[in-house]
């Protein structure tokens, strides 16, 4: 998953908020002590996390806002006629300090929060929203931009500069520049409230996740759990000062319990806790926040002359329209649901043959019996595979694959400041030895880190004054921790997650554009998942697996027999998995693709579940109140993009495999040149066609998922 943040362009593009680190510190008597206000002296001018204190953020941010306004004012008050350089490029370069501060603040807000830092983010968020609106609603600035835009056919710009001009103009026109004063005032109020609501939504989910723990004191209740899950729960109990074993809602704890625990009542208890987050009618309840967000987004879209929020968002997407996305999701449901129904019958029959006594499986039974059926059909489970996936080996493996494909190498450093001692840092070099990027890897769950996995940047890539400023890229995950007796051994799902986020990382690290706002992952939402999902495919490739899947005790390379089982089981319950993903996309579109209906969360989800959920309804749980992708992140009206990108990545990977896999240098070079390096400098379909030689076909994805022959 990619997390959007403020990009330094003088215009507020996007912002995320969840949680953050900072250390308590006394008020600093002199602004010169603020590390943001001086040039960094660290390696590659990386962020000096060891020197940044809580008291630094707001003063530096306010200085950044003032500097950004000054930069913009210089553009507006210029007596020179508007040109591409003195207006469009000048705006792109405006607000360096603001980008410097916010990139650190919002990265940490996701990875290592404290209550103090959450207060800082809450104070900063409306200031940033106001700043963004001050720029996009500046009539004189827009007049200069419009003048340049209307001359675009005469300017003879290169494709990247032409794209910057187009996106700059649209960013203003799509965000209120053409509104009257009353409309602009209302837009400001909406944006300010939305920024605060999204922050609160994310904090509520984080609070619910951190506050819950299921304490088990009777060892009989651990029946079925493999040693790695027991050891992790024992370590968590010790950490939290509890006797026995503690299970949490963090993925490395929650997932194995739902897969392996024989105690059905405890599986239900954990399921209800996870799927009830933000839905308990208490201080962390997100129901009212969802209602406000959905209505405000709809009002904002109408104010800007769009029928719905989805129409506004999708106008600039690869898909292009709400109707096309809805048709895409509906078509995939028509393939996935029949397959899911057959698989659920198979799973229910298996369960009844192994002691299940009820008519229908519940959601908390699915993972448990699926794991057993998978073991029986393929003689394969996480307990068998985990010894081959030591975290360090998997990380070295993804580095090696990146080297084989693109020639890049990684060298670990210990002198780059980090925001937590667990974070690893690496220099990244190109095949000619030239420095490419700094890579940060942050892999274990903590109380201050939100759940999930994502990529972000602390410094974006751009070319300025003839210098190619290289990016600082972050991968954040929540993997199984080492225990007293074993290193961090990953489930196969965690392996694919690491590869996925690393694919986003490569998109950032290999960026090679002129303008930061078009660089790296600054692409339409339904194109951004292509590099990440292409990387996942190598996890199923025998040649790639043998590079890193080695037994942590013996060093034995994963045997061919296990590789074949991994590949054979790739489509196991694929219909059900596809239907779950489509359900989320349909929920997103129901909220954002029409006028708000006033229905309750349960009613909304009930409508979607009638076509995209095969399990019985359960009171007290809902997906929406913890659906951070669309209510606290940047995926509103965009969650479909995961499936859209699957069409792209399956088609793309077939091209890699057609002509030699890891040795297909032509495919790798084309993918690097036309996708990874280009960012958003051209239309995504044009970039894809340059890479592949044609438009993508959905048949590769349907074949890979086993939904067609």
């Amino acid at each position: 998953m990619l997390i959007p943040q403020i990009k330094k362009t003088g215009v507020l593009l996007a912002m995320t908020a969840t949680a953050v680190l900072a250390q308590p510190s006394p008020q600093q008597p002199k602004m010169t002590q603020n590390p943001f206000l001086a040039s960094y002296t660290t390696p590659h001018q990386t962020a000096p996390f060891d020197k940044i204190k809580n008291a630094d953020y707001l003063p530096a941010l306010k200085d950044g806002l003032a500097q950004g306004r000054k930069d913009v004012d210089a553009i507006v008050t210029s007596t020179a006629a508007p040109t591409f350089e003195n207006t469009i490029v000048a705006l792109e370069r405006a607000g360096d300090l603001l980008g410097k501060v916010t990139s650190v603040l919002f990265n940490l807000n996701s990875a290592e929060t404290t209550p103090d830092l959450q207060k800082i983010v809450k104070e900063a968020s409306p200031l940033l929203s106001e700043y963004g609106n001050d720029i996009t609603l500046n009539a004189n600035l827009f007049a200069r931009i419009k003048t340049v835009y209307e001359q675009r056919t005469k300017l003879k710009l290169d494709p990247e500069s032409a794209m910057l001009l187009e996106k700059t103009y649209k960013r203003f026109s799509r965000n209120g520049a053409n509104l009257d004063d009353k409309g602009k005032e209302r837009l400001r109020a909406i944006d300010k409230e939305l920024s605060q609501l999204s922050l609160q939504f994310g904090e509520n989910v984080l609070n619910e996740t951190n506050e819950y723990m299921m304490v088990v004191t009777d060892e009989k209740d651990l029946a079925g759990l493999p040693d790695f899950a027991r050891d992790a729960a024992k370590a968590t109990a010790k950490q939290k000062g509890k006797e026995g074993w503690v299970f949490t809602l963090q993925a490395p704890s929650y997932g194995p319990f739902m897969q392996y625990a024989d105690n059905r009542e405890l599986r239900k208890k954990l399921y209800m806790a996870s799927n009830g987050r933000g839905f308990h009618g208490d201080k962390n309840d997100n129901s009212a926040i969802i209602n406000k967000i959905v209505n405000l987004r709809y009002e904002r879209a109408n104010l800007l002359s769009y029928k719905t929020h989805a129409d506004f968002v999708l106008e600039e997407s690869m898909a292009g329209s709400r109707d096309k996305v809805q048709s895409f999701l509906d078509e995939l449901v028509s393939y996935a649901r029949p397959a899911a129904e057959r698989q659920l019958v198979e799973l229910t029959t298996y369960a009844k043959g192994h002691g299940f006594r009820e008519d229908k499986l519940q959601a908390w039974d699915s993972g448990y019996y699926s794991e057993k059926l998978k073991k029986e059909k393929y003689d394969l489970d996480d307990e068998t595979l985990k010894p081959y996936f030591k975290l360090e080996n998997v990380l070295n493996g993804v580095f090696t694959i990146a080297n084989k494909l693109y020639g890049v190498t990684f060298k670990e450093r210990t002198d780059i400041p980090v925001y937590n001692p667990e974070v690893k840092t690496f220099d990244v070099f190109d095949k000619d030895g030239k420095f490419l990027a700094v890579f940060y890897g942050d892999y274990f769950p903590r109380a201050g880190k939100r759940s999930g996995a994502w990529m972000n940047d602390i410094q974006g890539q751009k070319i300025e004054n003839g210098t190619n400023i290289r990016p600082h890229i972050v991968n954040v995950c929540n993997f199984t921790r080492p225990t007293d007796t074993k290193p961090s051994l990953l489930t196969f799902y965690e392996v694919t997650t690491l590869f996925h986020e690393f694919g986003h990382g490569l998109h950032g690290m290999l960026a090679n554009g002129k303008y930061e706002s078009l660089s790296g992952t600054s692409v339409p939402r339904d194109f951004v998942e292509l590099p990440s999902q292409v990387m996942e495919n190598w996890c199923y490739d025998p040649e790639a697996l043998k590079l890193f899947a080695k037994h942590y005790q013996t060093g034995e390379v994963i045997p061919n027999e296990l590789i074949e089982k991994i590949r054979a089981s790739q489509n196991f319950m694929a219909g059900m998995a596809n239907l779950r993903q489509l359900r989320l996309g349909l929920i997103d579109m129901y909220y954002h693709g029409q006028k708000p209906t006033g229905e309750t969360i349960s009613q909304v989800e009930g409508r979607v579940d009638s076509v995209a959920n095969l399990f019985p309804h359960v009171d007290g749980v809902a997906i929406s109140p913890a659906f951070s992708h669309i209510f606290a992140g940047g995926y509103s009206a965009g969650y479909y993009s995961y499936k859209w990108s699957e069409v792209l990545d399956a088609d793309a990977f077939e091209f890699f495999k057609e002509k030699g896999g890891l040795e297909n240098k032509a495919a790798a070079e084309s993918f690097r040149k036309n996708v990874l390096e280009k960012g958003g400098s051209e239309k995504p379909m044009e970039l894809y066609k340059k890479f592949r030689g044609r438009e993508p076909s959905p048949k590769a994805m349907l074949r890979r998922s086993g939904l067609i022959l």
Side-chain angles (χ1 to χ4, degrees):
M1 172 189 172
L2 181 78
I3 292 294
Q5 65 175 60
I6 296 171
K7 301 290 282 187
K8 197 287 310 159
T9 61
V11 179
L12 201 63
L13 297 186
M15 184 175 67
T16 186
T18 7
V20 156
L21 153 99
Q23 324 238 327
S25 64
Q27 184 64 40
Q28 296 179 7
K30 294 181 180 179
M31 289 302 295
T32 53
Q33 293 180 341
N34 191 319
F36 288 118
L37 303 182
S39 296
Y40 296 160
T41 58
T42 49
H44 306 301
Q45 294 187 302
T46 47
F49 290 110
D50 55 336
K51 293 183 172 58
I52 296 170
K53 309 294 188 233
N54 275 359
D56 297 324
Y57 288 108
L58 288 174
L61 183 135
K62 290 175 182 177
D63 273 18
L65 293 171
Q67 182 201 85
R69 287 187 167 96
K70 184 178 179 181
D71 291 341
V72 170
D73 189 55
I75 299 170
V76 172
T77 59
S78 172
T79 57
T83 66
F84 178 74
E85 287 293 330
N86 72 18
T87 300
I88 307 303
V89 175
L91 182 60
E92 169 74 12
R93 305 296 190 217
D96 276 323
L97 176 59
L98 185 60
K100 190 175 179 181
V101 178
T102 55
S103 64
V104 172
L105 178 60
F106 285 95
N107 269 284
L108 292 180
N109 191 40
S110 295
E112 185 124 343
T113 193
T114 66
D116 286 344
L117 209 46
Q118 289 179 354
K119 291 177 184 176
I120 292 169
V121 172
K122 282 185 176 179
E123 186 172 346
S125 183
L127 297 177
L128 291 165
S129 178
E130 180 182 14
Y131 170 80
N133 282 326
D134 283 347
I135 294 172
T136 56
L137 301 179
N138 186 316
N140 293 328
L141 177 61
F142 181 58
R144 291 183 67 91
I145 293 169
K146 190 173 182 180
T147 297
V148 179
Y149 183 71
E150 289 173 345
Q151 300 170 355
R152 62 192 181 280
T153 58
K154 304 174 184 177
L155 298 180
K156 298 181 181 179
L157 299 174
D158 63 76
E160 188 172 358
S161 296
M163 180 61 73
L164 179 67
L165 175 56
E166 178 184 337
K167 288 196 171 183
T168 302
Y169 176 78
K170 285 185 175 180
R171 187 156 59 241
F172 278 72
S173 63
R174 281 169 44 84
N175 285 282
N178 290 311
L179 294 175
D180 60 21
D181 289 344
K182 184 178 179 182
K184 289 179 179 179
E185 183 180 350
R186 180 57 188 151
L187 187 70
R188 286 177 182 274
I190 290 172
D191 286 347
K192 182 177 180 179
E193 188 171 2
L194 281 172
S195 70
Q196 294 168 331
L197 289 169
S198 293
L199 277 172
Q200 190 61 55
F201 185 99
E203 287 182 15
N204 289 348
V205 175
L206 183 67
N207 290 340
E208 289 253 326
T209 303
N210 286 341
E211 289 169 6
Y212 183 84
M213 58 181 166
M214 184 174 75
V215 181
V216 174
T217 56
D218 189 340
E219 192 166 3
K220 293 196 296 294
D221 290 330
L222 303 179
L225 286 174
D227 288 344
F228 76 84
R230 294 178 182 226
D231 292 346
K234 175 65 76 174
T236 303
K238 182 179 179 182
Q239 176 192 351
K240 293 182 178 294
K242 300 290 183 181
E243 295 295 325
W245 300 263
V246 168
F247 297 90
T248 72
L249 302 183
Q250 296 285 358
S253 179
Y254 177 82
F257 195 92
M258 299 304 293
Q259 284 179 285
Y260 296 108
D262 293 339
N263 190 317
R264 188 173 186 242
E265 284 305 308
L266 289 184
R267 290 203 312 271
K268 178 181 178 181
K269 181 178 180 181
L270 205 58
Y271 171 87
M272 296 293 289
S274 180
N275 290 275
R277 286 178 296 171
F279 201 49
H280 295 131
D282 57 11
K283 62 182 174 64
N284 291 322
D285 194 277
N286 275 332
S287 302
I289 291 177
I290 288 173
N291 183 58
K292 290 178 182 177
I293 288 175
V294 169
N295 278 278
L296 285 170
R297 285 173 174 169
Y298 178 76
E299 182 186 353
R300 188 183 194 280
N302 287 175
L303 191 61
L304 296 168
S305 300
Y306 293 89
K307 189 173 182 180
T308 69
H309 178 67
D311 289 288
F312 170 76
V313 171
L314 296 170
E315 181 183 58
E316 290 298 291
S317 70
M318 195 175 179
S321 73
R322 170 170 51 100
D323 289 343
K324 190 166 184 178
V325 168
Q326 191 66 51
S327 297
F328 172 74
L329 293 172
D330 291 342
E331 181 181 8
L332 290 187
V333 168
S334 74
Y335 285 105
R337 183 169 179 123
E341 288 171 341
R342 293 192 300 270
Q343 290 161 6
L344 183 58
V345 168
E346 179 187 14
L347 191 62
T348 303
T349 301
Y350 173 83
K352 288 184 175 181
H354 290 76
F356 186 72
R357 294 291 177 259
E358 297 186 16
D359 289 336
K360 294 183 178 180
L361 292 175
Q362 298 286 346
W364 52 86
D365 299 314
S366 175
Y368 176 74
Y369 285 109
S370 291
E371 189 66 29
K372 289 185 174 298
L373 178 57
K374 182 179 178 181
K375 173 72 173 174
E376 186 169 298
K377 290 183 75 168
Y378 305 105
D379 190 25
L380 187 70
D381 58 17
D382 283 333
E383 188 76 348
T384 304
L385 291 176
K386 279 170 71 80
Y388 293 96
F389 296 129
K390 180 180 175 182
L391 172 60
E392 290 78 5
N393 291 346
V394 178
L395 192 59
N396 286 335
V398 82
F399 289 167
T400 301
I401 289 167
N403 176 261
K404 285 184 171 292
L405 290 171
Y406 309 116
V408 297
T409 57
F410 294 76
K411 182 178 180 181
E412 186 168 4
R413 296 190 66 148
T414 57
D415 58 341
I416 292 176
V418 292
Y419 55 87
N420 186 287
E422 294 180 334
V423 177
K424 295 180 179 295
T425 59
F426 301 85
D427 279 346
V428 187
F429 300 99
D430 209 342
K431 48 192 165 189
D432 60 1
K434 186 181 295 184
F435 172 74
L436 271 178
V438 174
F439 178 68
Y440 297 77
D442 181 0
Y443 295 111
F444 301 120
R446 298 182 295 272
K449 182 195 287 190
R450 66 179 187 77
S451 58
W454 61 93
M455 167 266 178
N456 216 333
D457 65 59
I458 297 174
Q459 175 174 289
Q461 182 271 331
K462 60 185 175 182
I463 297 174
E464 198 163 276
N465 299 322
T467 299
N468 194 329
I469 296 171
R470 300 309 303 167
H472 303 165
I473 302 299
V474 189
N475 271 182
V476 186
C477 302
N478 284 276
F479 293 151
T480 306
R481 279 187 171 278
T483 67
D484 292 339
T485 58
K486 292 179 181 176
S488 175
L489 302 176
L490 306 187
T491 65
F492 189 71
Y493 176 79
E494 289 175 325
V495 173
T496 60
T497 298
L498 187 149
F499 271 67
H500 179 103
E501 299 308 332
F502 188 80
H504 282 311
L506 284 173
H507 204 179
M509 288 182 272
L510 297 179
N512 196 30
K514 291 194 291 186
Y515 309 114
E516 185 178 353
S517 65
L518 302 181
S519 179
T521 55
S522 298
V523 300
R525 183 64 65 195
D526 51 7
F527 192 61
V528 78
E529 298 296 337
L530 170 60
S532 57
Q533 292 178 193
V534 161
M535 281 302 294
E536 286 187 53
N537 286 275
W538 296 110
C539 299
Y540 297 90
D541 182 76
E543 181 186 7
L545 275 169
K546 289 188 175 185
L547 293 173
F548 66 91
K550 301 175 182 179
H551 198 285
Y552 80 100
Q553 290 175 314
T554 66
E556 173 200 15
V557 175
I558 190 169
N560 290 331
E561 177 187 5
L562 278 183
I563 293 176
E564 288 309 308
K565 289 177 180 179
I566 289 172
R567 290 165 61 82
S569 65
Q570 184 176 2
N571 289 332
F572 178 67
M573 296 292 158
M576 293 177 69
N578 273 278
L579 197 61
R580 281 193 296 272
Q581 192 81 342
L582 291 167
R583 179 191 180 210
L584 294 172
L586 289 168
I587 288 172
D588 177 22
M589 290 303 293
Y590 195 89
Y591 281 122
H592 296 118
Q594 61 182 327
K595 180 179 180 180
T597 62
E599 294 171 295
T600 65
I601 287 170
S602 295
Q603 288 171 330
V604 169
E605 295 193 7
R607 288 188 180 277
V608 173
D609 286 354
S610 66
V611 297
N613 185 21
L614 302 182
F615 291 103
H617 170 74
V618 180
D619 290 334
V621 299
I623 292 292
S624 304
F627 199 172
S628 294
H629 278 73
I630 67 171
F631 293 120
Y635 280 77
S636 62
Y639 198 83
Y640 77 93
S641 61
Y642 285 102
K643 300 308 294 182
W644 185 275
S645 293
E646 278 189 43
V647 170
L648 301 180
D649 89 72
D651 188 70
F653 194 69
E654 280 197 352
F655 185 47
F656 275 94
K657 294 300 291 180
E658 280 170 9
K659 300 176 181 177
L662 286 173
E663 302 306 319
N664 188 347
K665 302 304 181 187
E669 185 60 29
S670 181
F671 194 71
R672 175 174 178 168
K673 177 182 177 182
N674 294 304
V675 177
L676 298 176
E677 291 186 355
K678 290 291 187 180
S681 62
E682 297 180 44
K683 298 288 186 183
M685 186 60 79
E686 294 307 309
L687 291 176
Y688 190 86
K689 288 192 293 185
K690 287 180 180 180
F691 154 64
R692 187 68 164 100
R694 59 165 174 76
E695 291 193 1
S697 166
K699 291 182 179 179
M701 188 273 284
L702 294 171
R703 281 194 298 270
R704 186 180 66 187
S705 298
L707 300 181
I708 62 170
L709 298 177

